[in-house]
């Protein structure tokens, strides 16, 4: 360690942390160890933990985890960090590697490094180094977060977005629908499958992801529900029955690596068995949600109960019916950690937990409807048990819903992730739990969206050529390094930006039609001060539907929803085709071409906007546009 400097102190969220005035690095091991891992060095400087570990290269797939105690001396699931590969140890002939982390930990604080574990996945071996090192904070205290000031005050819907999303074949909504269906049951693929993107190299997305397919098919079901054309409606139902059969095929694959939590399949619908982040336990839940939605719609349109049981629900008697089997999996596995929707980290994830909750609630009602009340009671009991865990995701000291309750992915110390917004959109069960207007949801949406303002240079472009406001470009999370083909610096995503727009539309709709009032809380106050700054707000005040504040707040939600959609429009090429991302500096499309989820996300946002605008025929008109199946 370098020479000691003056001992100072700083306090964050009530935690007093010892502090020296200059950064200091402690060297623990100066040469390669005789064991498979050893902490080489660490520093806790300016609120950031920087640690480097020697790791023997015993296999390809490794998981390195560092455990510590927080500022109160407690070891909890949040005081855990996953390390990342840092490079080869020089002159080791690839037999040793550096793994490291640089992670902000000042919110919870740090007092002691406890131990490091090395999970050599491919050889099923785990190694551990006990540390028990008391840590002294060094360097200048972390700077206080600067509250962003709103750069615009958009208000109400805009004609340009109404035209851009019009329900016709030539609008962006029409193009997105056509392109989405172009990725369903592509030539040569198994019926009921969805290719994630028309991208076969750098990156290769030519797979049928369970999650992406279910979200896409839920949009197909929206079209089925609203279509009145006798030539089009059967196309949707046939695709959805194909999807149910395809999901059952996946469940019964003899080569499943982790049960029904397998994340993806080849286009012939055989399971992908290579190294991957598995299990991903949100997939069975989102599949359940989509198929129950379809089954209910099919029955409402005069469909046969026997058909629903044999092709969708009753896995115990009909192997080609997937819902019961997926529900049983969700009920038995919701409490176990799994990988997140970005396939990066195994933990307890807010998104996964919320879609599992919705699946269990819907499943309990549906099982009873199918005459299976005992199974329905089991599902209901599991939903109740799951409910008791949701509060752990709310971090009151940050006014933020944590995207996960568990290890910090390397460098992802902000705990801000648009997966929280997506979790609300895909997992809200229409029962008031984490609704679109929930103050914790709004508080988190504010922090997540505004966190990208200083991350993406393109956010400095705040108006289009006609002077209309461009919303904030939204990526997955501020620390993202995935650039669409490899790793460097992350970009905004079309689907992430559309998700924020959809949340704003749905929140406005809920306020106007259901809540009919807005209560500003300490948590939600920053949201309203940023997105509706035209008014002054009193915490705890109830603003009724006729109050000028309520009117302004809901108009601002509409205006910002359109601004986020205009951001997408601004970065969409003239042919209307959407990739996965658009460049953080150039704004040009990058990453996987024709990403199915990008199209699905734009469509669900457009539908949410139309519902808010009382465009009763919008979805019907969009659904009645002819589609041509690929099979």
């Amino acid at each position: 360690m370098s020479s000691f400097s003056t001992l100072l102190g700083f306090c964050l969220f009530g935690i007093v942390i010892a502090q020296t005035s200059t950064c200091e690095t402690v060297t623990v091991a100066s040469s390669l160890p005789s064991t498979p891992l050893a902490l080489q060095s660490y520093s806790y400087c300016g609120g950031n933990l920087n640690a480097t570990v020697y790791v023997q290269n015993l296999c390809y797939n490794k998981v390195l985890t560092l455990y510590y105690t927080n500022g109160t001396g407690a070891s909890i699931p949040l005081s855990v960090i996953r390390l990342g590969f840092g490079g080869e140890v020089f002159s080791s002939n690839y037999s040793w590697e550096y793994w490291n982390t640089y992670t902000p930990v000042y919110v919870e604080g740090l007092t002691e490094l406890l131990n490091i574990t090395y999970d050599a996945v491919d050889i099923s071996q785990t190694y551990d180094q006990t540390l028990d090192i008391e840590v002294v904070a060094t360097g200048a205290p972390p700077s206080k977060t600067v509250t962003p000031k709103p750069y615009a005050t958009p208000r109400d819907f805009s004609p340009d977005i109404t035209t851009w999303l019009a329900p016709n074949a030539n609008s962006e909504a029409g193009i997105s629908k056509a392109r989405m269906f172009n990725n369903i049951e592509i030539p040569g693929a198994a019926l009921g499958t969805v290719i994630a993107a028309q991208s076969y190299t750098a990156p290769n997305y030519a797979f049928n992801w369970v999650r992406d397919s279910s979200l896409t098919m839920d949009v197909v079901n929206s079209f089925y529900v609203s279509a009145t054309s006798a030539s089009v409606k059967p196309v949707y139902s046939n695709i959805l029955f194909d999807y149910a059969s395809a999901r059952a095929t996946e469940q019964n694959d003899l080569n499943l690596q982790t049960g029904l939590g397998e994340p993806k399949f080849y286009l012939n619908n055989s399971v992908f068995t290579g190294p991957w982040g598995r299990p991903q336990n949100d997939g069975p839940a989102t599949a359940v949600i989509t198929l129950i939605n379809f089954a209910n719609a099919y029955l409402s349109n005069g469909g046969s109960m026997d058909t629903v049981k044999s092709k969708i629900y009753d896995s115990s008697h009909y192997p080609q019916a997937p819902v019961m089997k997926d529900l049983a999996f969700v009920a038995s596995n919701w409490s176990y950690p799994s990988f997140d929707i970005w396939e990066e980290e195994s933990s307890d994830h807010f998104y996964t937990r919320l879609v599992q909750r919705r699946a269990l609630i819907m499943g309990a009602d549906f099982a009873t409807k199918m005459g299976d009340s005992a199974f329905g009671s089991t599902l209901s009991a599991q939903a109740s048990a799951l409910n008791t865990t949701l509060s752990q995701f709310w971090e009151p000291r940050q006014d933020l819903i944590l995207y996960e309750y568990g290890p910090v992915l390397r460098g992802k110390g902000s705990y801000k992730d648009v997966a929280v917004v997506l979790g609300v959109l895909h997992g809200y069960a229409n029962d008031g739990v984490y609704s679109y207007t929930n103050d914790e949801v709004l508080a988190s949406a504010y922090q997540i969206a505004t966190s990208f303002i200083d991350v993406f240079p393109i956010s400095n472009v705040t108006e289009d050529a006609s002077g209309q406001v461009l919303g904030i470009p939204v990526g997955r999370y501020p620390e993202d390094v995935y650039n669409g083909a490899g790793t460097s610096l992350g970009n905004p995503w079309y689907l992430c930006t559309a998700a924020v727009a959809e949340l704003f539309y749905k929140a406005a709709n809920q306020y106007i039609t259901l809540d009919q009032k807005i209560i500003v809380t300490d948590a939600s106050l920053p949201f309203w001060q940023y997105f509706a700054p035209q008014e002054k707000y009193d915490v705890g005040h109830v603003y009724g539907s006729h109050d000028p504040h309520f009117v302004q707040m809901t108009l601002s939600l509409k205006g910002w929803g359109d601004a986020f959609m205009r951001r997408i429009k601004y970065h969409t090429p003239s042919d209307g085709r959407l990739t996965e991302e658009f460049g953080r500096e150039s704004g040009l499309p990058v990453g996987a071409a024709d990403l199915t989820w990008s199209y699905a996300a734009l469509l669900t946002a457009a539908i949410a906007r139309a519902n808010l605008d009382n465009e009763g025929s919008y979805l019907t008109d969009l659904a009645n546009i002819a589609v041509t199946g690929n099979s």
Side-chain angles (χ1 to χ4, degrees), residues 398-603:
Q398 298 184 64
D399 283 335
L400 182 69
I401 297 173
L402 305 176
Y403 68 91
E404 69 176 28
Y405 188 72
V408 180
L409 183 66
R410 179 191 183 196
K412 197 176 175 181
S414 73
Y415 271 106
K416 298 172 185 176
D417 193 317
V418 79
V420 169
V421 173
L422 291 164
V424 173
L425 296 178
H426 301 158
Y428 178 44
N430 296 313
D431 61 353
V433 177
Y434 282 118
S435 73
Y436 312 120
T437 61
N438 177 280
D439 62 339
E440 294 176 5
V441 170
L442 297 180
S444 302
Y446 155 73
Q447 290 209 48
I448 292 163
T450 57
S451 71
F452 295 102
I453 294 174
D454 293 330
V455 172
F456 299 137
I458 196 67
S459 66
N460 293 320
V461 181
T462 58
E463 295 180 350
D464 65 9
S466 63
Q468 298 269 53
V469 176
L470 299 176
I472 303 163
V474 180
R476 300 189 301 175
Y477 51 90
E479 303 89 349
D480 198 1
V481 297
Y482 179 61
N483 60 20
T487 56
S488 58
L489 293 172
N491 296 306
W493 286 41
Y494 290 103
L495 75 90
C496 298
T497 308
V500 177
E502 182 178 348
L503 177 67
F504 277 48
Y505 293 143
K506 288 187 170 181
N509 201 345
Q510 182 176 326
Y511 279 130
I512 293 168
T513 62
L514 295 176
D515 298 355
Q516 297 185 343
K517 64 179 181 297
I518 299 175
I519 303 174
V520 176
T521 66
D522 286 323
S524 66
L525 179 61
F527 176 92
W528 295 115
Q529 289 176 329
Y530 188 88
F531 291 111
Q534 298 94 326
E535 301 285 352
K536 303 296 183 183
Y537 305 103
D538 295 322
V539 171
H541 189 84
V542 178
Y543 298 103
S545 59
H546 298 294
D547 191 300
H549 289 75
F550 181 97
V551 174
Q552 178 60 61
M553 294 158 94
T554 52
L555 286 173
S556 292
L557 289 172
K558 293 178 182 180
W560 272 105
D562 272 14
F564 284 110
M565 293 303 282
R566 189 176 297 108
R567 171 63 71 176
I568 297 172
K569 176 176 180 281
Y570 186 76
H571 298 290
T572 298
S574 59
D575 61 6
R577 299 174 73 162
L578 300 178
T579 56
E580 181 178 67
E581 309 167 25
F582 50 97
R584 59 189 289 126
E585 295 183 355
S586 68
L588 298 175
V590 295
D594 289 315
L595 188 81
T596 311
W597 196 352
S598 292
Y599 294 126
L602 184 132
L603 288 167

Side-chain angles (χ1 to χ4, degrees), residues 27-304:
T27 299
V28 180
S30 57
S31 60
L32 293 175
S34 58
T35 54
L37 83 159
L39 179 64
Q40 192 268 334
S41 63
Y42 73 90
S43 70
Y44 180 35
C45 179
N48 299 295
L49 175 61
N50 189 352
T52 300
V53 177
Y54 288 124
V55 178
Q56 190 173 5
N57 188 16
L58 300 176
C59 63
Y60 178 77
N61 289 293
K62 309 176 184 70
V63 179
L64 274 293
T65 309
L66 173 63
Y67 298 84
Y68 64 93
T69 56
N70 64 21
T72 64
S75 176
I76 61 175
L78 295 178
S79 55
V80 180
I81 295 174
R82 289 278 161 77
L83 282 70
F85 174 72
E88 179 200 0
V89 175
F90 183 69
S91 300
S92 71
N93 196 27
Y94 299 101
S95 61
W96 286 88
E97 298 171 343
Y98 291 116
W99 282 61
N100 52 40
T101 183
Y102 182 77
T103 303
V105 294
Y106 57 84
V107 172
E108 295 291 339
L110 167 63
T111 54
E112 184 178 5
L113 301 179
L114 296 177
N115 65 297
I116 305 171
T117 61
Y118 169 17
D119 183 12
V121 178
D122 300 333
I123 60 174
S124 301
Q125 294 292 322
T126 300
Y127 306 93
D128 180 89
Q129 181 189 19
T130 300
L131 300 174
D132 294 334
I133 298 174
E134 293 186 7
V135 177
V136 175
T138 64
S143 57
K144 293 183 178 180
T145 301
V146 177
T147 302
K149 294 182 179 179
Y151 63 84
T153 54
R155 192 175 189 270
D156 211 350
F157 291 129
S158 298
D160 65 314
I161 302 302
T162 301
T163 301
W164 191 58
L165 297 176
N168 62 64
N170 297 318
S171 73
E172 184 58 34
I175 293 169
S176 291
K177 180 190 174 188
R179 288 291 172 187
M180 186 186 79
F181 276 92
N182 195 50
N183 286 359
I184 298 172
E185 299 181 336
I186 70 170
L191 294 177
T193 58
V194 179
I195 188 172
Q198 297 279 357
S199 179
Y200 299 88
T201 58
N204 179 8
Y205 280 17
F207 294 93
N208 177 41
W209 262 272
V210 175
R211 174 192 317 105
D212 299 39
S213 297
S214 64
L215 299 177
T216 302
M217 290 297 178
D218 206 39
V219 180
V220 175
N221 182 61
S222 294
F223 292 140
Y224 169 73
V225 170
S226 297
T228 57
S229 167
S231 62
V232 174
K233 199 175 187 79
V235 174
Y236 300 137
S237 60
N238 289 340
I239 289 173
L240 287 160
F241 276 119
D242 287 344
Y243 168 64
S245 177
R247 178 60 190 149
T249 298
E250 293 162 5
Q251 293 174 338
N252 296 313
D253 193 302
L254 297 178
N255 295 311
L256 298 180
Q257 306 294 293
T258 53
L260 302 189
E262 284 301 310
K264 67 178 184 177
F265 293 74
Y266 292 105
L267 295 181
N268 66 4
N269 219 21
S270 63
V271 66
F272 172 80
T273 59
W276 209 254
R278 56 167 63 88
Q280 294 179 28
N281 290 344
D282 61 297
T286 54
V288 161
I289 292 166
T290 294
L291 286 170
I292 290 179
N293 280 336
F294 170 54
N296 284 327
Y298 177 75
L299 291 172
S300 296
N301 278 270
S304 162

